[in-house]
Amino acid sequence: MKVEKVNRSFVNQKAQIKNIQPQFTGGLGKVSEQITQSLPGKNAIKNMKNLEWLKGEIGGILITALGTGLVAPIFIGFNPFVKAPKGASEEQKKDVKNTKLYTAMRQPISAVLAILFQVSALKPIDKFLDQILNNPEYSKYLSLHIDQSALNNKSYIKTITKKELKKEGIKKPSIFGVFKNGYSKTMEARKEYNNLLKTRTDNKAEKQLSDLAESFYETGKIKIGKRYLDDKTLAELINSQIDDYIEDAKKLKIDNDGLTFYTKRANTLIKNEDHIREIFKDIPYKEIAKTEDSKALETLYNQTETMLKNLLKNENNPEIQELIQEILDRPKDIRASRVSRTLQRIDTIKDACKEGFSIDEYLDKMSLRNAELDRTITKLKLGKIADPSKATSKTITDALDTVVNNCKFNPSDQLLKSILHDTDTFDSNFEKLSKKIHKDITKLYKKLVENKYKAPNQIIKILIGVCITLPITCNALNWVYPRFMERVFPNLSGVKKDKEVKGGGDK
């Protein structure tokens, strides 16, 4: 669920006090990106994200190989517990030392072979599993909970999209194009291809999800091929989605610290309304909201920063200084939006206190707000399916209608509207909300299938590894290792080089 707009109500206070709460306006980035930009270690976090690919299977193989090839040889080659017996000759000591080093050198060779055989086997295995699980001709014979024919996994959609692009005559430029077209042009062309591939892949995935959600909305069932998801599983998904909505409602509540913070801030805004409107009148938040050109936006961002710094420098009121500093601490692309929201918030506070602002009345309004949210949360809890194992089609239909009604608010109810308006979870339009809830449950179904797929995927890969890849790797190691050592480290392998001059003979 999107973070509720500040000009409509009061959002989770802890994030705002810590000065990392994201604000949404059109064209801004994702919440996680905004939070990251607000952290002092943002550059380190960004660099660490470049290593996210190591979380996958290839990353696991490479990390294991790194440990096998670089770390293990140290402990084997210099193992203090393996040594020549007391009274051993220098030759015996040297022999023990060479034996340890010979054994240690086996590890890097083993690591290289493991990478070659295991990594090379992953792609064919994944392609094979993709065909079995995503192609309806094959997946119809599998368990419904791992059948991905209705919602294909990303790698399968990507493969299909590549084939379609190829038919259209669009191919990924070869890296060898740098010799003909230059590095910059080649890299730019490859980047454009990757962007096109990603866009089409994402669009296909979104269309599949939307089509399945629409079918679910019309029939009340999730259809996979010619089969339907069982009522028990669907009931569990509905309950899980209701739990998500309950958490969303809880995030809108304000705790005691938040009541203190917002009351103090409201008092500051109302008491200094004229001054705040005056100092912020030239901040170009309207221009920024309308501008799409990146260069023009950058100029406006810099202009906003300069103006805010000047305001802070010339401001004498500590409360207003704190307000300006909070805005400056935000990422540059949301500072102007923050100014706009601050001005809008003054109107929100005045609307809440029709008879004029007072701390008591303001606290009463926010306490009433929490009470309404508690009421909504209770209704959502009561709407859950009591026993999913006994669910029927009617149980499913009734539960869906109930959750839609519990997430719907009357637009004439000003209090609920001020709390729930501009959120993704709650809405005043029944049909729009119902379609949205059906799509949310469809997304949960997609996650269910992805999670169920992980177990057989790992089991199949383990079996292939134990029965095929491992024996091949071991045999290759037994053949390669002694020959490698004889050529590269003949002293350790015990091979004596012929020191006789070429062409010489016995005397």
Side-chain angles (χ1 to χ4, degrees):
M1 162 181 134
K2 288 182 181 177
V3 179
E4 186 181 13
K5 289 187 177 179
V6 176
N7 63 315
R8 296 291 182 183
S9 62
F10 307 95
V11 287
N12 185 302
Q13 68 87 26
K14 291 183 179 178
Q16 182 159 354
I17 291 175
K18 292 178 182 177
N19 211 21
I20 59 172
Q21 176 187 331
Q23 302 290 336
F24 279 90
T25 59
L28 294 183
K30 296 179 180 179
V31 176
S32 60
E33 294 173 355
Q34 294 178 14
I35 293 176
T36 300
Q37 286 296 319
S38 300
L39 298 176
K42 61 182 179 181
N43 291 330
I45 294 172
K46 185 177 180 180
N47 291 331
M48 290 175 66
K49 282 189 174 183
N50 294 330
L51 301 175
E52 282 186 343
W53 62 276
L54 287 173
K55 292 191 298 186
E57 291 170 321
I58 292 179
I61 292 172
L62 293 177
I63 291 172
T64 302
L66 188 67
T68 301
L70 297 181
V71 180
I74 297 174
F75 293 95
I76 295 173
F78 301 95
N79 188 348
F81 300 103
V82 177
K83 50 189 177 182
K86 289 184 179 181
S89 64
E90 289 299 320
E91 186 176 350
Q92 288 176 314
K93 292 179 181 180
K94 185 177 180 180
D95 184 56
V96 171
K97 180 181 178 182
N98 287 344
T99 300
K100 290 195 293 183
L101 293 175
Y102 182 85
T103 306
M105 286 303 299
R106 186 181 180 90
Q107 303 308 307
I109 307 299
S110 175
V112 171
L113 292 175
I115 292 174
L116 289 175
F117 288 106
Q118 292 181 32
V119 172
S120 61
L122 282 180
K123 193 170 184 179
I125 294 172
D126 284 333
K127 282 187 173 293
F128 169 75
L129 292 176
D130 278 351
Q131 283 293 326
I132 296 297
L133 297 168
N134 292 271
N135 191 321
E137 292 299 317
Y138 308 121
S139 63
K140 63 184 179 182
Y141 300 110
L142 303 174
S143 167
L144 195 64
H145 291 173
I146 61 172
D147 185 345
Q148 297 185 343
S149 60
L151 296 174
N152 300 148
N153 64 33
K154 193 170 183 178
S155 60
Y156 185 76
I157 297 177
K158 193 173 181 179
T159 300
I160 293 175
T161 306
K162 283 182 178 179
K163 291 179 179 178
E164 291 177 352
L165 289 173
K166 190 175 182 180
K167 286 182 179 179
E168 296 174 22
I170 304 173
K171 297 181 181 179
K172 185 173 184 177
S174 171
I175 189 65
F176 296 107
V178 296
F179 299 110
K180 181 179 179 181
N181 304 316
Y183 179 82
S184 297
K185 286 186 177 180
T186 302
M187 291 299 105
E188 184 63 29
R190 288 170 65 86
K191 182 180 179 181
E192 288 179 4
Y193 176 87
N194 289 335
N195 289 339
L196 177 62
L197 178 61
K198 183 180 184 304
T199 299
R200 289 207 185 181
T201 300
D202 291 343
N203 289 343
K204 281 182 183 293
E206 178 59 30
K207 187 177 186 309
Q208 286 185 351
L209 184 67
S210 298
D211 288 347
L212 187 60
E214 184 65 26
S215 171
F216 177 32
Y217 171 74
E218 293 174 353
T219 65
K221 295 178 178 291
I222 292 180
K223 188 177 182 181
I224 305 99
K226 295 182 179 181
R227 299 182 290 177
Y228 292 95
L229 188 66
D230 59 282
D231 292 332
K232 175 180 178 295
T233 302
L234 185 51
E236 290 172 344
L237 291 176
I238 292 172
N239 282 351
S240 180
Q241 190 59 58
I242 291 174
D243 286 336
D244 287 345
Y245 293 155
I246 289 171
E247 289 303 311
D248 290 339
K250 287 180 178 179
K251 291 174 183 176
L252 295 174
K253 293 183 64 177
I254 304 173
D255 62 19
N256 290 331
D257 290 338
L259 292 175
T260 301
F261 174 81
Y262 284 120
T263 303
K264 179 182 176 183
R265 178 51 55 85
N267 187 48
T268 299
L269 294 177
I270 297 299
K271 185 174 61 176
N272 300 280
E273 178 184 356
D274 293 339
H275 178 56
I276 292 171
R277 292 190 185 279
E278 177 64 26
I279 64 175
F280 285 160
K281 69 178 181 179
D282 295 325
I283 301 296
Y285 54 85
K286 292 181 180 179
E287 291 87 339
I288 288 176
K290 296 176 182 178
T291 304
E292 296 182 358
D293 182 72
S294 58
K295 290 184 178 180
L297 277 174
E298 191 66 29
T299 300
L300 290 170
Y301 291 154
N302 294 334
Q303 180 184 341
T304 300
E305 181 176 6
T306 300
M307 294 175 68
L308 288 171
K309 286 182 176 179
N310 287 334
L311 289 175
L312 181 62
K313 181 180 179 181
N314 298 321
E315 182 58 54
N316 296 319
N317 187 329
E319 293 177 328
I320 306 302
Q321 286 178 343
E322 181 182 2
L323 177 63
I324 298 172
Q325 187 60 60
E326 283 181 7
I327 297 172
L328 277 169
D329 288 340
R330 300 280 180 169
K332 64 181 181 181
D333 58 342
I334 63 173
R335 287 170 182 156
S337 172
R338 176 70 176 176
V339 170
S340 174
R341 291 177 184 280
T342 300
L343 296 175
Q344 292 171 9
R345 184 163 186 167
I346 295 174
D347 296 330
T348 302
I349 297 167
K350 292 169 73 175
D351 288 341
C353 303
K354 297 292 186 182
E355 303 301 324
F357 178 80
S358 73
I359 290 177
D360 287 340
E361 184 181 0
Y362 193 67
L363 283 171
D364 288 342
K365 291 288 185 181
M366 288 197 290
S367 297
L368 185 58
R369 165 203 171 86
N370 281 352
E372 285 295 328
L373 285 168
D374 283 332
R375 184 168 174 270
T376 300
I377 290 168
T378 300
K379 287 166 60 179
L380 285 168
K381 288 180 178 178
L382 293 174
K384 294 178 68 174
I385 298 172
D387 188 355
S389 63
K390 296 180 180 178
T392 62
S393 296
K394 187 177 186 307
T395 308
I396 299 296
T397 303
D398 291 344
L400 287 168
D401 287 341
T402 300
V403 69
V404 174
N405 283 315
N406 289 338
C407 290
K408 179 180 176 294
F409 63 86
N410 190 332
S412 63
D413 186 334
Q414 292 301 317
L415 178 60
L416 271 179
K417 182 180 178 181
S418 68
I419 301 170
L420 305 178
H421 187 55
D422 287 331
T423 66
D424 275 352
T425 299
F426 305 96
D427 205 294
S428 59
N429 186 298
F430 184 92
E431 183 179 0
K432 178 183 175 183
L433 186 58
S434 181
K435 288 185 176 182
K436 185 261 177 189
I437 289 172
H438 281 78
K439 190 168 185 178
D440 285 344
I441 295 170
T442 306
K443 289 177 182 178
L444 279 186
Y445 163 70
K446 182 177 177 66
K447 289 182 180 179
L448 170 72
V449 174
E450 288 173 350
N451 290 332
K452 291 284 187 182
Y453 162 68
K454 288 178 182 178
N457 175 277
Q458 292 300 320
I459 291 172
I460 291 171
K461 287 181 178 178
I462 289 172
L463 289 174
I464 291 175
V466 172
C467 300
I468 300 175
T469 310
L470 186 60
I472 292 175
T473 305
C474 291
N475 282 319
L477 178 63
N478 290 334
W479 188 88
V480 170
Y481 181 58
R483 289 165 176 77
F484 173 83
M485 293 301 291
E486 286 176 6
R487 287 182 174 275
V488 182
F489 299 103
N491 292 333
L492 292 180
S493 63
V495 176
K496 295 182 179 180
K497 288 185 177 180
D498 187 4
K499 295 182 181 181
E500 294 183 1
V501 179
K502 188 176 179 180
D506 293 332
K507 292 184 180 180

